[in-house]
Amino acid sequence: MSLDLAAESDGVGVRTQADGGVLAQLTLSHPELVLQPSLRRAPEVAVEPEYWTDAGDDRTLLFVTASGAEFRAFETALGIDPTVADPVLVDRGADRRSYRLELTDRAITLVEASAIVGGRLRECASCRDGWRFRIRFPDRDALVGFNDRCRDRGVSVSVDHLRPADADAEAFVPLTEKQRELLTVAYEEGYFDVPRRISQNELADRLGVSKSAVSQRLRRAIAQLCGSTLA
């Protein structure tokens, strides 16, 4: 088969939603949104879901990675979180830990609601108010449909950023609220000046967190900025 012929037959029978669309960054909040009770009890820990799977016996298992400096508080919160059961530590590093969790009947999840309206989940991470989703929708009607499904379940939706999904559109950097707060204070107080006008210890005191939390958060925020602007 020639290359031209292969190109002509590529994608036969496949509908496309790859052109146009909108990219939305949304903050979702609800007392029974999965893991939200734990996130509120351990606000110094950032959580990112890895994947979930059907265990084959009417159980859904969720794997997440947590980072931060207050794992004890987070693990204590997991033990009493009504949205999950049987938390198990499955991996650990210097400042990251991974867990396997069983979702309970009370847990609200919204990834399926995104898929139903044609959305594609790009990123998902915890934030102070709940979860921050970055979703590509085929059009604004799909975004409205997702919002309606969330509100039907009592989930609060806040649109943080919205832009065309075209590849050449200006991108936004997916910083967490805590990262953005730290960078703002660090910039305004002269942490990036030469010479520096504020130390990491002083930043930690200003924000009411530990020095290790400041160090880790700065490193991840700067890595996010570099990855988004230099990649």
Side-chain angles (χ1 to χ4, degrees):
M1 179 180 294
S2 70
L3 290 178
D4 289 343
L5 183 56
E8 290 176 1
S9 61
D10 185 37
V12 171
V14 176
R15 295 187 300 112
T16 181
Q17 294 179 340
D19 301 321
V22 294
L23 191 60
Q25 183 167 295
L26 312 170
T27 297
L28 309 180
S29 181
H30 186 282
E32 293 185 348
L33 207 55
V34 63
L35 283 180
Q36 183 151 336
S38 293
L39 298 175
R40 288 187 169 174
R41 290 188 174 97
E44 293 305 314
V45 172
V47 179
E48 295 183 9
E50 296 177 359
Y51 66 95
W52 55 87
T53 183
D54 184 351
D57 52 1
D58 294 327
R59 293 184 304 144
T60 298
L61 300 180
L62 171 67
F63 290 79
V64 302
T65 292
S67 58
E70 301 294 336
F71 292 116
R72 178 175 296 182
F74 180 64
E75 291 174 357
T76 298
L78 286 178
I80 57 175
D81 190 326
T83 69
V84 296
D86 192 25
V88 179
L89 176 66
V90 295
D91 197 6
R92 81 174 95 203
D95 59 356
R96 301 176 74 84
R97 295 188 181 185
S98 296
Y99 303 89
R100 183 184 70 232
L101 312 165
E102 180 182 338
L103 298 185
T104 69
D105 292 339
R106 293 181 61 177
I108 297 176
T109 61
L110 292 164
V111 175
E112 68 278 7
S114 168
I116 288 171
V117 300
R120 174 177 176 263
L121 182 63
R122 291 272 190 92
E123 295 178 15
C124 177
S126 67
C127 62
R128 178 176 298 175
D129 297 321
W131 289 97
R132 181 161 292 143
F133 280 25
R134 193 179 181 197
I135 306 175
R136 184 194 185 282
F137 293 99
D139 51 43
R140 288 178 179 267
D141 288 343
L143 170 58
V144 172
F146 176 74
N147 182 71
D148 290 343
R149 288 177 180 272
C150 291
R151 295 194 183 281
D152 286 346
R153 304 191 68 177
V155 175
S156 170
V157 180
S158 173
V159 180
D160 304 321
H161 299 280
L162 187 65
R163 69 167 176 84
D166 299 333
D168 60 350
E170 182 181 356
F172 54 77
V173 180
L175 296 176
T176 67
E177 182 178 345
K178 292 177 183 178
Q179 289 172 340
R180 192 179 301 277
E181 178 187 26
L182 172 57
L183 286 179
T184 299
V185 174
Y187 178 78
E188 291 176 347
E189 297 298 326
Y191 178 80
F192 300 107
D193 291 356
V194 180
R196 284 178 176 164
R197 295 190 287 112
I198 190 172
S199 67
Q200 287 193 9
N201 281 335
E202 290 169 324
L203 281 173
D205 290 341
R206 280 288 306 274
L207 297 171
V209 299
S210 66
K211 180 184 175 182
S212 63
V214 166
S215 176
Q216 294 164 15
R217 204 171 295 167
L218 269 175
R219 187 171 68 249
R220 294 196 186 94
I222 293 172
Q224 288 277 59
L225 288 169
C226 291
S228 297
T229 57
L230 301 178

